[in-house]
Amino acid sequence: MAQWVLHVDMDQFIAAVEILRRPDLAGLPVIVGGRGDPTERAVVSTASYEAREFGVHSGMPLKTAVRRCPQAVLLPVDAPAYDAASAVVMHTLRAVPGAVVEVIGWDEAFVGIETDDPEQVARAAQTAVLASTGLHCSVGIGDTKVRAKIATEFGKPRGTFRLTRENWFAVMGDRPTKDLWGVGSRISQRLAELGVTTVRELAQAPEERLVAEFGPNTGPHFGRLGRGVSSNVVDDTPWVPRAHGRETTYQQNLTTADEISGAVRALAAQVVEDIRREGRACARVQLKVRFAPFFTVHRSRKLTETTFDPEVIGETALDLLRRLADDRPIRLLGLRAEMVAPEGGYEPPRTHGRRGNP
């Protein structure tokens, strides 16, 4: 039997959980975000498929979403409800015979399985998840994690799709590079400046050109993405947080030094509470700042000594902010503390997150 990777992705997860609780919302445009109040600064966490037909998408300001879809039903984010639904989904996937499950977010997981019929396993998983939660999912089938992840988009909603070495270029070759997992609009633009606009062109791009543009590690990584090459090992090791972060969108812009300093130090105190519960000190500080109207910058710095001191963490973040030399009003601040690994020593954080998936 062959080794396969399945990527299980819940369909419109957050909106689906809300519709499950309120069946009268089925078929209506539903937008979930913030406290459900479009007069406040908040962004869309997810939108139902009906709302997406109006151009509403995750990360969009609620005010913009309502202008595009004024008839939408707006709901506040209810994280505990999504946590509970996610736990049932993952428990159900782990019960699939022979499955190895790697959770990668609220609403998605990789499933490693040995089988001669991955479609049958995928359909069985969909049926089991629907029976246990009332929620639908899509499943990408691949011979690598990258191919399985991308395959899911072709299976949505409620379907399956297989993407392997054999059909990779037939399916993906002429698509733009931004359709690849991990290639956003900025990277896609940089690739275009190199004359690389399609997945096939990226796969065929000389490695030395990619290295010159993106560095000795990231450059070859993008080349492998163009070929759909990645690990096919699904790791079910329990996830251990590598970092904790807090961020706040302010209803009124921060404009004075005192306002900004107070906001950063408040975030530092909250983050320290989180990492103290882990018992692992901060090794690197990351700052996120969104200037008005909507320009976001990220900066980070590794500390010379690990610490639980909120003053050190806060002052480090403030210094990163001062070095930007940007006096525009601030609408959002975020602070993230990357921790030492459980066994001691610093390691970069793994990517796990909460999000509302397509």
Side-chain angles (χ1 to χ4, degrees), residues 238-242 278-280 339-347:
W239 178 59
V240 177
R242 265 55 170 185
E278 299 283 347
R280 293 150 56 206
M339 300 176 288
V340 295
E343 65 275 11
Y346 168 75
E347 67 176 276

Side-chain angles (χ1 to χ4, degrees), residues 9-79:
D9 202 351
M10 304 304 296
D11 295 331
Q12 57 174 17
F13 175 63
I14 293 174
V17 172
E18 296 293 351
I19 293 168
L20 196 64
R21 298 197 292 183
R22 291 183 53 185
D24 58 300
L25 297 180
L28 299 178
V30 175
I31 299 172
V32 183
R35 295 192 293 186
D37 185 350
T39 66
E40 296 182 349
R41 286 180 172 174
V43 298
V44 175
S45 294
T46 199
S48 67
Y49 292 129
E50 292 80 7
R52 295 179 199 193
E53 292 178 1
F54 292 85
V56 178
H57 57 78
S58 298
M60 173 182 288
L62 280 183
K63 292 179 181 178
T64 303
V66 170
R67 285 199 298 270
R68 293 191 178 186
C69 187
Q71 68 271 43
V73 178
L74 268 68
L75 298 174
V77 172
D78 185 353

Side-chain angles (χ1 to χ4, degrees), residues 227-240:
R227 299 185 291 276
V229 175
S230 73
S231 170
N232 66 350
V233 177
V234 177
D235 182 6
D236 62 353
T237 303
W239 178 59
V240 177

Side-chain angles (χ1 to χ4, degrees), residues 324-337:
L324 293 175
D326 194 323
D327 60 359
R328 284 178 292 180
I330 292 173
R331 60 178 292 152
L332 176 148
L333 283 170
L335 197 154
R336 182 178 175 89

Side-chain angles (χ1 to χ4, degrees), residues 268-269 272 275-276 281-282 303 306-315:
V272 166
I275 65 175
R276 281 194 181 280
C282 176
L303 301 176
T306 62
T307 185
F308 286 105
D309 189 340
E311 285 297 320
V312 172
I313 295 171
E315 185 56 39

Side-chain angles (χ1 to χ4, degrees), residues 89-101:
V89 169
M90 301 311 164
H91 176 77
T92 303
L93 293 178
R94 293 187 182 100
V96 173
V100 178
V101 178

